[in-house]
């Protein structure tokens, strides 16, 4: 931001810091006004730090991980991630979000993604007679063997004790492992309603066809074969020669893959 002011040549400036929410002005020095209008006074601001505190808002509510920070300091505008139903529980209740007042009024629901310009206490809302559940989905890595250390997707939900909840969902290019649960029956303690589901990565056939009667003088087409969904395969033909021809690319239907590009396998090709 900048602001233009006027002053008498040879006299000191009369610049003032301006208030900005979440910032504090540093001290600065006035300058002598130049006759050519070139005088500049720079005012620098520090970004303030505020405390975000979480209140479980229930004497029998607990953190599922005892090491969870109950308060955290953030600079104004910093991205924040509030605890989810994975991080806290209360028997016979479902977690209903964070609010800025203890009674959890609907108009005071906290939905900000960044730190506000003030110290803030958030109160957990609990819905009586319900419980939370969490489904963690792990999608097999492109090597077709290992899985990520953290879930590929996490889906929270709520229901009533004893309710059967369908937990499987579809992911393009993946199939649930044969021994995966299709549903869970909700228990009174939300901490026990966490299920991890693993999905295997599909394999597709990739073939490279040079065309009828095509004979190469040097090299060969890429090997192809059974390839895992999402794998990137090179279509490089730089070491291939055919007298009188220049390689342009590979065509799959209307899609052309030019020399030097890669193919992302999503189906039989």
């Amino acid at each position: 931001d900048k602001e233009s002011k006027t002053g008498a040549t040879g006299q000191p400036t009369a610049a003032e810091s301006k208030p900005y929410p979440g910032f504090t002005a540093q001290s600065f020095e006035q300058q002598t006004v130049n006759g050519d209008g070139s005088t500049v006074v720079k005012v620098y601001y520090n970004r303030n730090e505020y405390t975000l505190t979480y209140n479980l808002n229930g004497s029998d509510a607990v953190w599922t991980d005892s090491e969870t920070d109950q308060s955290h300091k953030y600079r104004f505008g910093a991205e924040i991630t509030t605890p989810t139903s994975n991080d806290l529980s209360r028997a016979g209740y479902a977690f209903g979000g964070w609010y800025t007042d203890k009674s959890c009024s609907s108009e005071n629901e906290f939905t900000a993604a960044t730190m506000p310009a003030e110290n803030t206490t958030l109160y957990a809302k609990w819905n009586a007679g319900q419980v939370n559940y969490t489904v963690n989905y792990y999608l097999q890595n492109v090597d077709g063997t290992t899985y990520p250390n953290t879930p590929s997707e996490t889906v929270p939900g709520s229901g009533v004790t004893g309710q059967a909840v369908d937990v499987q969902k579809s992911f393009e290019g993946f199939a649930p492992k044969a021994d995966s649960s299709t549903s869970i029956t909700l228990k009174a303690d939300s901490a026990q309603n966490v299920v991890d589901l693993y999905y295997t990565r599909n394999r597709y056939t990739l073939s490279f066809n040079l065309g009828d009667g095509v004979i190469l003088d040097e090299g060969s087409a890429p090997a192809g074969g059974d390839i895992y969904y999402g794998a990137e395969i090179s279509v490089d033909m730089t070491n291939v020669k055919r007298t009188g021809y220049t390689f342009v690319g590979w065509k799959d239907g209307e899609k052309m893959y030019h020399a030097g590009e890669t193919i992302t396998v999503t189906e039989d090709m």
Side-chain angles (χ1 to χ4, degrees), residues 117-225:
E118 60 183 348
N119 295 323
T120 303
T121 296
L122 299 181
Y123 298 88
K125 179 181 179 180
W126 299 102
N127 296 318
Q130 293 187 329
V131 292
N132 292 114
Y133 66 88
T134 303
V135 187
N136 297 314
Y137 298 95
Y138 293 83
L139 304 183
Q140 192 175 52
N141 293 325
V142 75
D143 62 9
T145 302
T146 62
Y147 286 84
N149 294 326
T150 57
S152 306
E153 182 178 339
T154 295
V155 176
S158 62
V160 297
T161 301
Q163 177 184 348
V165 178
D166 294 331
V167 293
Q168 284 194 356
K169 63 176 297 186
S170 298
F171 292 95
E172 181 181 354
F174 295 85
K177 293 184 69 175
D179 58 351
S180 295
S181 301
T182 58
S183 65
I184 60 171
T185 300
L186 300 182
K187 299 179 174 61
D189 183 358
S190 295
Q192 298 181 43
N193 298 325
V194 179
V195 60
D196 296 329
L197 294 183
Y198 292 83
Y199 284 65
T200 57
R201 190 176 290 260
N202 296 341
R203 299 178 76 172
Y204 298 100
T205 300
L206 176 63
S207 303
F208 293 92
N209 189 337
L210 291 172
D212 294 339
V214 174
I215 299 176
L216 299 176
D217 299 313
E218 293 183 18
S220 60

Side-chain angles (χ1 to χ4, degrees), residues 23-266:
F23 293 88
T24 300
Q26 298 180 13
S27 60
F28 62 95
E29 294 183 359
Q30 302 290 350
Q31 305 294 317
T32 300
V33 177
N34 298 322
D36 59 2
S38 62
T39 307
V40 176
V41 178
K42 294 183 178 181
V43 183
Y44 292 90
Y45 289 74
N46 293 326
R47 188 179 292 266
N48 296 341
E49 186 177 68
Y50 300 100
T51 300
L52 185 63
T53 302
Y54 303 105
N55 187 317
L56 289 177
N57 203 19
S59 59
D60 54 345
V62 296
W63 295 104
T64 54
D65 184 347
S66 60
E67 295 183 0
T68 299
D69 289 335
Q70 297 181 25
S71 65
H72 194 88
K73 290 184 179 296
Y74 293 96
R75 294 287 180 185
F76 166 67
E79 182 177 347
I80 57 177
T81 302
T82 55
T84 68
S85 58
N86 283 344
D87 305 306
L88 61 163
S89 67
R90 185 182 183 187
Y93 293 80
F95 173 64
W98 294 103
Y99 291 75
T100 55
D101 67 319
K102 190 174 179 64
S103 59
C104 299
S105 305
S106 58
E107 66 271 16
N108 292 323
E109 183 178 7
F110 185 80
T111 59
T114 58
M115 187 64 199
E118 60 183 348
N119 295 323
T120 303
T121 296
L122 299 181
Y123 298 88
K125 179 181 179 180
W126 299 102
N127 296 318
Q130 293 187 329
V131 292
N132 292 114
Y133 66 88
T134 303
V135 187
N136 297 314
Y137 298 95
Y138 293 83
L139 304 183
Q140 192 175 52
N141 293 325
V142 75
D143 62 9
T145 302
T146 62
Y147 286 84
N149 294 326
T150 57
S152 306
E153 182 178 339
T154 295
V155 176
S158 62
V160 297
T161 301
Q163 177 184 348
V165 178
D166 294 331
V167 293
Q168 284 194 356
K169 63 176 297 186
S170 298
F171 292 95
E172 181 181 354
F174 295 85
K177 293 184 69 175
D179 58 351
S180 295
S181 301
T182 58
S183 65
I184 60 171
T185 300
L186 300 182
K187 299 179 174 61
D189 183 358
S190 295
Q192 298 181 43
N193 298 325
V194 179
V195 60
D196 296 329
L197 294 183
Y198 292 83
Y199 284 65
T200 57
R201 190 176 290 260
N202 296 341
R203 299 178 76 172
Y204 298 100
T205 300
L206 176 63
S207 303
F208 293 92
N209 189 337
L210 291 172
D212 294 339
V214 174
I215 299 176
L216 299 176
D217 299 313
E218 293 183 18
S220 60
D226 288 338
I227 310 297
Y228 285 105
Y229 171 83
E232 294 187 348
I233 305 299
S234 172
V235 297
D236 181 51
M237 293 279 282
T238 54
N239 295 323
V240 174
K241 292 183 180 180
R242 184 187 180 198
T243 301
Y245 293 85
T246 298
F247 176 72
V248 176
W250 298 98
K251 194 171 184 181
D252 178 38
E254 296 301 317
K255 173 67 175 178
M256 174 67 78
Y257 297 93
H258 296 92
E261 294 182 344
T262 58
I263 295 175
T264 300
V265 177
T266 58

